[in-house]
Amino acid sequence: MSAVIRLASPADAADIQQIYAPIVSQTHISFELAVPGVAEIAARISKTLKQYPWLVCEISGRLTGYAYASAFRARQAYQWTAETTVYVHPGWQRRGLSRALYRSLVAILRAQGYCNALGVIALPNIGSIRAHEAAGFRQIGVFENVGFKAGAWRHTGWWQLELRPMPEAPQPPRPIGELAMEPHFADLLQSGLALLSNQ
């Protein structure tokens, strides 16, 4: 089977929505309460790609998982920190897809000039914790009872990955579209593929 990691496009919205919908409707993992429609997912992809990477993994032409980054907070002093998210189709879990997508995502964020990545995990979620820690994230804290989902109050755990040494005078991170024009971008995208197993 052939595998590829690439940038998402709005045309991927239906496949992404199929992965995301049961996470919203059947679990506490996402704090969204209503499943977003395909048009909304497409709009989110377009908005994200103005600055941040949104990656998808395809295996034999089928979209099996995705990962993206987003702004941690809006105020400009936070601009060197990105929040990261990864989801994998249930039929393709435990095959290294989360680690593969995160390796590529982290490589791209580092090349853009980001200094920190943050993963926010609705607890409990052992699978997500393992995926983040396998990618090098370390737990830095827990916010208690900050969301009510699936009939219970939920904590969120915070995991952080330092992407590079903190510069004394950092330049703003580069938009993903600018980085994508460079010849080595393809290598950054595919850097996670070595972590896939049982393709």
Side-chain angles (χ1 to χ4, degrees), residues 28 31 122-124 143-156:
H28 68 275
F31 274 13
L123 303 175
F143 288 0
E144 297 183 352
N145 298 316
V146 291
F148 188 85
K149 180 78 185 281
W153 286 102
R154 304 292 177 178
H155 301 346
T156 56

Side-chain angles (χ1 to χ4, degrees), residues 49-66:
L49 290 174
K50 291 178 181 179
Q51 176 64 35
Y52 298 94
W54 187 315
L55 308 182
V56 296
C57 181
E58 286 185 333
I59 297 179
S60 297
R62 180 179 180 184
L63 199 152
T64 54
Y66 64 97

Side-chain angles (χ1 to χ4, degrees), residues 13-166:
D15 289 334
I16 287 171
Q17 200 244 18
Q18 287 185 352
I19 294 172
Y20 188 52
I23 292 167
V24 174
S25 63
Q26 300 172 22
T27 79
H28 68 275
I29 292 170
S30 168
F31 274 13
E32 287 202 77
L33 299 180
V35 176
V38 172
E40 170 61 22
I41 297 283
R44 293 180 187 184
I45 294 169
S46 295
K47 181 180 178 180
T48 297
L49 290 174
K50 291 178 181 179
Q51 176 64 35
Y52 298 94
W54 187 315
L55 308 182
V56 296
C57 181
E58 286 185 333
I59 297 179
S60 297
R62 180 179 180 184
L63 199 152
T64 54
Y66 64 97
Y68 62 89
S70 57
F72 168 55
R73 289 190 174 177
R75 292 180 179 171
Q76 283 193 308
Y78 289 112
Q79 67 182 291
W80 293 274
T81 296
E83 187 172 335
T84 59
T85 302
V86 62
Y87 292 114
V88 172
H89 188 284
W92 292 88
Q93 292 176 356
R94 297 180 181 86
R95 300 191 190 189
L97 264 73
S98 291
R99 291 175 59 212
L101 283 161
Y102 253 13
R103 176 173 285 185
S104 295
L105 187 72
V106 164
I108 290 168
L109 290 173
R110 187 176 289 120
Q112 286 181 269
Y114 288 98
C115 296
N116 291 292
L118 289 175
V120 183
I121 302 173
L123 303 175
N125 189 340
I126 296 298
S128 186
I129 291 170
R130 288 176 177 165
H132 280 81
E133 292 184 348
F137 288 71
R138 60 184 176 86
Q139 186 175 5
I140 57 170
V142 174
F143 288 0
E144 297 183 352
N145 298 316
V146 291
F148 188 85
K149 180 78 185 281
W153 286 102
R154 304 292 177 178
H155 301 346
T156 56
W158 291 68
W159 272 257
Q160 181 174 352
L161 175 65
E162 184 177 307
L163 298 172
R164 62 190 180 110
M166 301 298 141

